Amino acid sequence: MLKIQHISQIVLGPRQLTFGFDKNPQQEQDLVVSCITHQFETHGHVELDKIIPHVNELHDLTETDTLQYIFWSAQELKIHFRVDGKNITPFQAKQLLLESPEEPMSLVTNKHVEEPIFKDVASFYQNLSNSKKHLDFDDQYAVSCSLLTDLKNWEDRLGSFKPIAQKPFYPGGQKIEEHLQSLKKILRKQDTYSLIYACYHHKEKISQMAEDVNIISSFYNNHVTFWDILIQSIEDFRVNLTQLKKNPEAFSKFNRLLQIISSKDPYHFIAEASDLLKTVQHHNDIIVQKSIEAHRVTSASKIDSMIENLVDLFDSYTPDQDLRNKSLYALRQVKKKLALAKNIQQLDQLLCNTEDMVDDFVEELKER
């Protein structure tokens, strides 16, 4: 926050001539204006209470001198004070700061775009934003600030989508990269004059960008979970592709899903893909279930063979009844578990565990 004693020392009106008997105030004032201009170009706005310490750090000027140079520059119309979306005079700025030193106040440079070009950009932007923005479309700074906010928002959104868009089968990666490069050029200088001119020269590109950003944002904000499921499901379907080919409807819809996830612009096919996935998933589930049941029968048969072999060994080695009962009971319990297994992996794991268990029984039997 600015200090009252520094504000009260500000001299309003034109700077007095010094006849060269002191430091060079014109040179120092130019340095201050240069700092303001650079910050404005870099960030699109300059806050009074933040630019003063920035100038002091760069050029070792006191807060009082820096503030005085800012007021003289405003008096000479090189810059303007701005509060609540309106330019104010140096006199109004001083009075406001004396009353409320904490009052947010910004600085803008006095470089305006030619009226026909500005009107063209303002009209373009008004149509682009569907007139929903409540701002003064006759105010160059207000329009540039709103433009800057939107363009930076697009840049942030596209940047957040970029990592996942680079993964296989995710759309928009190329467009995201192209638009980010375009935004980098457009936002190279963010002052009012530079930004409006940049938008004037890139209206067509910005218009296309606005459409693409909305479409891409909708996809990555709303449909990524579904897209993850779709990609994984297609990989699962490939396992049963031979069986799917025997069903013309399922195979045709599977191929259509492949077309959609391979498309550069699949955004309008999300609903279609959802319906297709349900149909193919249904047919695939039937195939998988039949495969599981066939595997269950095979696994049960293998366990029956293990039981028979174990019975033969018991007859040969004639162990005590406890070991015989314990071993056969354990194998029959496994057969019951086969009925509860939900997939082939669980069936295979049960079978593998059973084989290990039988090996242990045989080893124990031989040691007796």
Side-chain angles (χ1 to χ4, degrees):
M1 186 175 69
L2 299 177
K3 297 177 181 177
I4 292 290
Q5 64 265 33
H6 296 153
I7 300 168
S8 61
Q9 294 177 41
I10 295 302
V11 177
L12 297 174
R15 186 178 69 238
Q16 300 298 312
L17 295 177
T18 61
F19 300 103
F21 291 118
D22 61 359
K23 58 189 176 182
N24 190 335
Q26 183 59 60
Q27 186 178 24
E28 291 184 343
Q29 183 177 334
D30 290 343
L31 288 174
V32 172
V33 173
S34 177
C35 281
I36 293 170
T37 301
H38 181 264
Q39 286 290 300
F40 195 39
E41 289 178 349
T42 305
H43 303 292
H45 68 280
V46 178
E47 296 176 26
L48 179 61
D49 62 341
K50 292 181 179 178
I51 192 63
I52 291 175
H54 177 69
V55 172
N56 295 349
E57 182 179 347
L58 288 179
H59 302 295
D60 195 28
L61 296 177
T62 65
E63 180 174 322
T64 302
D65 284 347
T66 302
L67 198 55
Q68 181 63 73
Y69 291 140
I70 289 173
F71 270 83
W72 276 339
S73 298
Q75 189 71 41
E76 295 166 9
L77 302 182
K78 293 178 180 178
I79 59 174
H80 294 296
F81 293 102
R82 194 171 178 89
V83 175
D84 293 333
K86 294 182 179 179
N87 291 353
I88 60 175
T89 66
F91 176 80
Q92 292 171 320
K94 181 177 180 180
Q95 292 302 115
L96 186 58
L97 289 172
L98 286 172
E99 294 169 6
S100 306
E102 74 285 352
E103 180 72 26
M105 188 175 296
S106 57
L107 302 172
V108 296
T109 59
N110 189 27
K111 190 175 183 180
H112 282 70
V113 176
E114 292 87 338
E115 197 64 17
I117 291 178
F118 168 65
K119 290 296 184 184
D120 185 88
V121 172
S123 176
F124 162 74
Y125 182 50
Q126 193 168 22
N127 292 331
L128 191 69
S129 58
N130 297 318
S131 301
K132 293 178 181 178
K133 292 188 174 290
H134 302 290
L135 60 92
D136 183 359
F137 282 93
D138 291 324
D139 186 321
Q140 294 196 11
Y141 181 70
V143 169
S144 72
C145 281
S146 188
L147 261 170
L148 182 60
T149 298
D150 284 347
L151 293 175
K152 283 187 172 181
N153 177 267
W154 294 357
E155 188 176 43
D156 289 342
R157 279 196 272 169
L158 293 175
S160 70
F161 303 144
K162 182 178 176 179
I164 190 170
Q166 293 175 329
K167 294 168 63 176
F169 300 113
Y170 281 86
Q174 184 176 346
K175 281 188 177 179
I176 288 172
E177 185 59 35
E178 289 173 357
H179 290 328
L180 284 173
Q181 290 302 316
S182 295
L183 284 167
K184 186 177 180 180
K185 292 178 182 177
I186 293 170
L187 296 172
R188 187 172 61 85
K189 288 188 176 182
Q190 299 176 12
D191 60 287
T192 299
Y193 182 86
S194 300
L195 187 63
I196 291 176
Y197 260 105
C199 292
Y200 176 75
H201 291 300
H202 294 93
K203 282 188 300 180
E204 186 175 341
K205 188 173 291 185
I206 291 171
S207 183
Q208 183 61 54
M209 197 185 302
E211 182 180 346
D212 289 342
V213 168
N214 285 334
I215 292 172
I216 292 171
S217 295
S218 176
F219 176 85
Y220 281 101
N221 287 331
N222 303 313
H223 302 298
V224 168
T225 299
F226 167 74
W227 208 251
D228 285 337
I229 293 171
L230 176 60
I231 292 172
Q232 183 57 54
S233 296
I234 287 177
E235 289 304 305
D236 294 341
F237 298 156
R238 290 183 191 277
V239 176
N240 302 309
L241 196 54
T242 301
Q243 294 299 316
L244 280 174
K245 286 180 178 179
K246 296 177 182 178
N247 186 311
E249 179 193 15
F251 187 56
S252 172
K253 293 187 175 182
F254 171 77
N255 284 329
R256 177 57 184 151
L257 282 175
L258 288 180
Q259 290 178 349
I260 291 174
I261 68 163
S262 301
S263 170
K264 290 183 178 180
D265 300 291
Y267 313 106
H268 302 298
F269 305 121
I270 302 297
E272 180 189 356
S274 179
D275 291 339
L276 291 169
L277 181 59
K278 290 175 185 176
T279 302
V280 180
Q281 187 69 61
H282 172 70
H283 289 293
N284 189 71
D285 287 345
I286 293 173
I287 293 170
V288 169
Q289 196 56 45
K290 286 181 179 179
S291 178
I292 291 172
E293 293 309 317
H295 208 73
R296 200 188 310 275
V297 170
T298 301
S299 299
S301 177
K302 289 181 178 179
I303 290 177
D304 284 339
S305 295
M306 292 180 200
I307 292 174
E308 290 176 10
N309 292 335
L310 203 56
V311 168
D312 290 342
L313 281 173
F314 286 147
D315 291 342
S316 299
Y317 283 87
T318 60
D320 60 69
Q321 199 64 28
D322 274 351
L323 177 59
R324 182 187 185 98
N325 291 342
K326 180 183 72 171
S327 304
L328 294 177
Y329 177 79
L331 289 176
R332 291 185 182 111
Q333 287 301 111
V334 172
K335 281 196 69 176
K336 291 181 180 180
K337 290 180 180 179
L338 289 178
L340 302 176
K342 296 180 179 179
N343 52 54
I344 290 174
Q345 289 75 20
Q346 289 182 5
L347 288 168
D348 286 342
Q349 188 61 54
L350 274 172
L351 199 59
C352 182
N353 293 343
T354 305
E355 289 171 346
D356 291 340
M357 183 170 60
V358 169
D359 288 341
D360 291 340
F361 288 153
V362 171
E363 186 175 344
E364 183 179 355
L365 181 62
K366 292 180 178 179
E367 289 176 352
R368 293 190 174 219

